[in-house]
Amino acid sequence: MSYRSIAIDGPSGAGKSTLIKLLCGLYQPDSGRILIDGRDVRELNPKTLQRYFGMIFQDYGRYFFTVQENVELGDVEKAKRAGSKREQEVRAALRKGLAEGLAGMLGQPLGNLSPEGVELSGGQWQRLALARACFRDCQVLVLDEPTAALDPMAENELYANFVEMMEGRSCILISHRLAVARYTDRILVLQKGELIEEGDHASLMGENGVYASMYRAQSHWYART
């Protein structure tokens, strides 16, 4: 059975980000095989493998270019192909990445490398990174802690926008904030590099295991605040 969206959860150090980097070919496995469409990732041309994924990691880039160039870095070839629709595609990506507030400043340089440059907040940089990932034509969108720098209202907006972000592709989501896992088709729970639980939100809550314990702990924290 295949799933359009998968959440990977677990405590810090469980191996979530390492697993994703192995899947994307950024790390090479010491043993075993990783298959995509039945083919070992080590047999795939690196450019072919890169086309599968649009990624945003916790250590996303902050590029001191214009807003539009920051988005287009997600898929330079697509930007070239877009022609007259180039700006339209950039604006669509900004909307999906919750960065629509930057759509009015596409030509604005960012950072402090030029006198005209402006600095963004941490949350704005993360929204821009999300837009860059959404701009990419890919089969799988990988989001590693996509709400780490977002305020609670922006986080809720991301959850509400999750379906649109996934349009036409699958999604792998890593997040310590388990509320978003409810929006995915399948949840994988890792601990010390091993898969210990698997299912959807309802079934894992019924098992009353590690996932249920983490979810209830977070729910209690939100209730107190």
Side-chain angles (χ1 to χ4, degrees):
M1 182 179 294
S2 60
Y3 301 96
R4 285 198 59 217
S5 57
I6 294 176
I8 302 177
D9 294 316
S12 297
K16 303 183 295 295
S17 294
T18 299
L19 175 62
I20 290 302
K21 290 178 179 179
L22 284 164
L23 178 64
C24 298
L26 300 177
Y27 293 165
Q28 293 299 317
D30 296 325
S31 61
R33 295 192 302 159
I34 299 174
L35 305 179
I36 296 179
D37 292 337
R39 297 183 61 187
D40 193 310
V41 295
R42 287 171 292 195
E43 299 174 357
L44 294 174
N45 182 293
K47 289 188 177 181
T48 301
L49 183 58
Q50 290 170 11
R51 298 306 309 175
Y52 271 94
F53 301 101
M55 297 168 282
I56 171 175
F57 292 112
Q58 298 178 53
D59 51 349
Y60 54 85
R62 302 185 181 199
Y63 303 108
F64 290 178
F65 304 138
T66 67
V67 170
Q68 180 163 341
E69 289 167 342
N70 262 272
V71 175
E72 292 178 343
L73 281 175
D75 195 331
V76 175
E77 293 303 316
K78 176 182 177 178
K80 292 178 180 178
R81 295 193 308 267
S84 61
K85 293 185 177 180
R86 189 168 179 171
E87 184 175 311
Q88 180 181 336
E89 295 281 359
V90 169
R91 292 181 182 277
L94 287 169
R95 185 187 69 252
K96 292 179 181 179
L98 309 183
E100 197 166 11
L102 299 176
M105 45 190 292
L106 295 184
Q108 172 65 55
L110 302 178
N112 54 13
L113 294 184
S114 70
E116 299 81 16
V118 299
E119 185 56 83
L120 301 180
S121 68
Q124 286 176 312
W125 278 114
Q126 185 158 37
R127 289 168 183 245
L128 194 55
L130 280 167
R132 184 160 54 246
C134 290
F135 183 76
R136 186 173 183 80
D137 281 339
C138 61
Q139 295 186 38
V140 182
L141 184 62
V142 179
L143 304 177
D144 187 355
E145 297 293 351
T147 63
L150 300 182
D151 60 64
M153 291 184 64
E155 185 179 356
N156 288 334
E157 189 180 354
L158 174 67
Y159 300 159
N161 205 44
F162 190 61
V163 173
E164 184 178 6
M165 291 178 65
M166 286 173 48
E167 185 179 3
R169 54 191 157 197
S170 299
C171 181
I172 299 175
L173 172 72
I174 300 173
S175 179
H176 284 97
R177 304 181 186 184
L178 301 186
V180 71
R182 302 184 64 171
Y183 291 81
T184 63
D185 300 321
R186 201 72 171 170
I187 302 167
L188 309 180
V189 183
L190 302 184
Q191 190 172 70
K192 296 181 179 179
E194 295 186 1
L195 178 64
I196 59 170
E197 294 178 358
E198 179 180 0
D200 60 18
H201 174 77
S203 65
L204 289 176
M205 291 300 291
E207 289 179 11
N208 202 29
V210 172
Y211 174 84
S213 177
M214 291 192 300
Y215 186 86
R216 292 189 181 109
Q218 289 192 11
S219 297
H220 179 62
W221 184 82
Y222 281 120
R224 287 188 299 166
T225 57

